[in-house]
Amino acid sequence: MRRHEFQPGRLLAGLVLTAAGVLYLLDAAGETDLPWFLVVPMAFGGLALAALVGLVTYAVRRDRRDRIREPRDQ
């Protein structure tokens, strides 16, 4: 399998949605009484944070690529 770039935004999104799923499973099993209005903002906030992390990662990688290409072009 080829190696791929580490994408922290996708990792964060996966962790947040997994946590929301676990909380819903605990609620369904009767282990905890979880109101829906706590999980929905957590999932939405986590996805928004993951998008922000993805954008920052993209900007950093684009800047590094531009700096590497710059000396060759001149």
Side-chain angles (χ1 to χ4, degrees), residues 8-10 12-13 44-60:
R10 289 186 181 190
L12 184 59
F44 181 74
L47 289 175
L49 183 62
L52 179 65
V53 168
L55 286 172
V56 169
T57 303
Y58 174 75
V60 167

Side-chain angles (χ1 to χ4, degrees), residues 44-73:
F44 181 74
L47 289 175
L49 183 62
L52 179 65
V53 168
L55 286 172
V56 169
T57 303
Y58 174 75
V60 167
R61 287 184 179 160
R62 186 181 64 189
D63 186 48
R64 284 185 185 170
R65 278 186 302 220
D66 290 346
R67 276 194 259 150
I68 291 171
R69 288 182 189 164
E70 199 171 283
R72 289 188 220 160
D73 292 342

Side-chain angles (χ1 to χ4, degrees), residues 16-35 38-40 42-43:
V16 168
L17 292 177
T18 300
V22 167
L23 287 174
Y24 266 125
L25 283 175
L26 288 173
D27 187 38
E31 296 294 322
T32 183
D33 186 27
L34 185 69
L38 292 180
V39 176
V40 171
M42 181 187 79

